[in-house]
Amino acid sequence: MKKVILGSILMLAISISFISCRESADKAKSAAEQAGEAMEKAGDDIKEAGDKAMDKAKEAGDSMKEIGEGAANKAKEAGEEMKEAGNKALDKAEETGENIKEGAEKAANDVKNAANKAADEVEKAVN
């Protein structure tokens, strides 16, 4: 009878340990599934963050391109304005040169006329 009781207790202990092991295995499987889901979510989050970073980098590149184009346009405008100013200065210099030439011709004519008038007066005085 002792053997029967001890055998029954042993069977009970073995069945409890199998049930306990089965529960542990189920818990471990559940934990592994949860860890897999968490890793998948983390991977999706990392991918999404990478996509956002790429979008921001693209936006920054587009902004830099626009800034560069704006600077090039401003430089071109400044060059055109400088060309216009140079042309205006050249026109003024030509005009000033013409005025000087006209003034010199007038002065030469005035001197010539004064010399002729003086020569005529000297000739009249001698006669």
Side-chain angles (χ1 to χ4, degrees):
M1 182 106 182
K2 274 186 176 182
K3 287 185 180 184
V4 173
I5 294 175
L6 287 176
S8 296
I9 292 173
L10 182 60
M11 291 299 278
L12 182 65
I14 291 174
S15 67
I16 290 174
S17 71
F18 280 131
I19 292 172
S20 176
C21 287
R22 190 175 301 147
E23 287 176 4
S24 295
D26 289 343
K27 287 180 183 178
K29 183 179 177 183
S30 176
E33 287 174 358
Q34 289 176 353
E37 289 173 4
M39 288 177 64
E40 187 176 319
K41 185 177 184 316
D44 290 343
D45 290 345
I46 290 171
K47 181 181 177 193
E48 186 177 325
D51 290 344
K52 286 181 181 178
M54 289 298 290
D55 290 343
K56 292 293 183 184
K58 184 177 178 185
E59 288 175 15
D62 290 343
S63 295
M64 293 299 287
K65 181 180 176 184
E66 289 174 14
I67 290 169
E69 288 172 353
N73 289 339
K74 291 291 183 186
K76 184 178 178 183
E77 288 174 12
E80 289 172 0
E81 289 174 3
M82 290 181 71
K83 182 179 176 182
E84 273 183 44
N87 287 337
K88 285 180 182 178
L90 184 59
D91 291 343
K92 288 288 184 184
E94 287 176 358
E95 184 180 322
T96 302
E98 289 294 322
N99 289 342
I100 290 172
K101 181 180 173 185
E102 288 173 8
E105 287 175 354
K106 185 179 179 208
N109 286 335
D110 288 347
V111 169
K112 181 180 172 184
N113 289 339
N116 286 338
K117 186 177 179 183
D120 287 343
E121 288 178 9
V122 169
E123 192 177 309
K124 280 183 190 179
V126 173
N127 289 333

